[in-house]
Amino acid sequence: MTEEETRRLLVDQLRRYYERGWISGTGGGICGPADGGALLVAPTGVHKELVGPDELFTIDPVTETILAAPARADLRPSECGPIFAHIARERGARSIAHTHALSAVLFGDLADGGDHVTVERLEMLKGIRGFANTERHDVPVIRNTPREIELVANVARALADPRFARAYAVVVEDHGVYVWGADVWEAKRHVETYHYLFEATVARHDRRRKG
């Protein structure tokens, strides 16, 4: 896939996530592979469903510096950038999405002060690389912070925890979720799968509580 094709696919995903209610206002973010090992990152403070292919920043995932900026001078790089870069370095991810989906927030509530929520007995677990529908998947849940950039330390601790070595998502309580994959297509599959797992797990919990 060329960089131009990646740019078009990333902004298409932003529109689709907006349509599904997973990003709204100016929240959320996405990144994907640029030429030379860099990352393409959506800007901050804008309506993500309106971002164009030529409005992505290019950052170095190692140094976290900006290598190229859009022509529009009013655009600013996403505060998700350092988190994206850390996940890319630690997990080899080449595409990462950040959503503010209600299902992710409600799923995080199920941790009830703990550091994970277990997903089990769902066919869609097979949508996460390496998982079978008979397995239990512990999804890490971290505390929120006043600013996105301050989340880096909490994300780092979750990624370093061997209990979560197979996870492709980190849920941020009262906030949303970061989901990644080896490329844009795997990240897309993981985003869609995790959001289904969140919805199903929350619905089951609510049904049991009412029963």
Side-chain angles (χ1 to χ4, degrees):
M1 185 183 296
T2 66
E3 182 173 309
E4 185 55 38
E5 290 171 331
T6 299
R7 287 173 175 270
R8 290 196 297 268
L9 182 56
L10 290 174
V11 299
D12 178 69
Q13 291 310 304
L14 287 175
R15 285 191 290 270
R16 292 178 185 275
Y17 298 160
Y18 169 79
E19 291 166 358
R20 300 183 76 159
W22 296 345
I23 59 174
S24 57
T26 60
I30 201 166
C31 75
D35 291 342
L39 290 176
L40 300 167
V41 179
T44 191
V46 297
H47 295 279
K48 298 303 189 296
E49 74 276 14
L50 302 179
V51 173
D54 60 346
E55 295 177 338
L56 305 177
F57 286 81
T58 305
I59 69 168
D60 185 321
V62 177
T63 64
E64 302 178 11
T65 55
I66 298 173
L67 302 177
R72 279 183 53 186
D74 61 316
L75 294 178
R76 294 177 293 120
S78 174
E79 284 201 345
C80 297
I83 299 173
F84 289 160
H86 186 83
I87 295 172
R89 292 194 303 269
E90 296 301 314
R91 291 297 176 88
R94 293 295 288 147
S95 186
I96 306 149
H98 173 46
T99 83
H100 289 179
L102 177 59
S103 61
V105 174
L106 296 178
F107 180 86
D109 288 346
L110 299 182
D112 195 26
D115 63 3
H116 71 278
V117 176
T118 300
V119 178
E120 60 184 331
R121 296 184 297 108
L122 284 167
E123 178 69 13
M124 282 291 282
L125 275 165
K126 294 192 295 188
I128 307 301
R129 192 208 305 177
F131 278 91
N133 60 357
T134 55
E135 294 185 84
R136 293 164 56 93
H137 180 14
D138 291 339
V139 180
V141 178
I142 63 173
R143 304 287 82 81
N144 196 16
T145 55
R147 291 188 60 197
E148 202 86 33
I149 195 168
E150 296 168 354
L151 280 172
V152 175
N154 292 348
V155 171
R157 279 192 291 272
L159 296 185
D161 192 320
R163 294 175 300 159
F164 309 131
R166 299 175 65 198
Y168 289 86
V170 173
V171 172
V172 184
E173 68 174 10
D174 305 327
H175 184 152
V177 64
Y178 285 85
V179 185
W180 59 90
D183 54 34
V184 179
W185 288 112
E186 184 176 66
K188 174 182 182 294
R189 187 184 80 237
H190 284 165
V191 168
E192 294 169 355
T193 301
Y194 272 112
H195 283 75
Y196 174 90
L197 296 175
F198 297 160
E199 292 171 12
T201 302
V202 169
R204 280 179 168 174
H205 176 268
D206 289 347
R207 184 186 64 189
R208 287 193 294 267
R209 185 176 60 182
K210 291 176 181 177

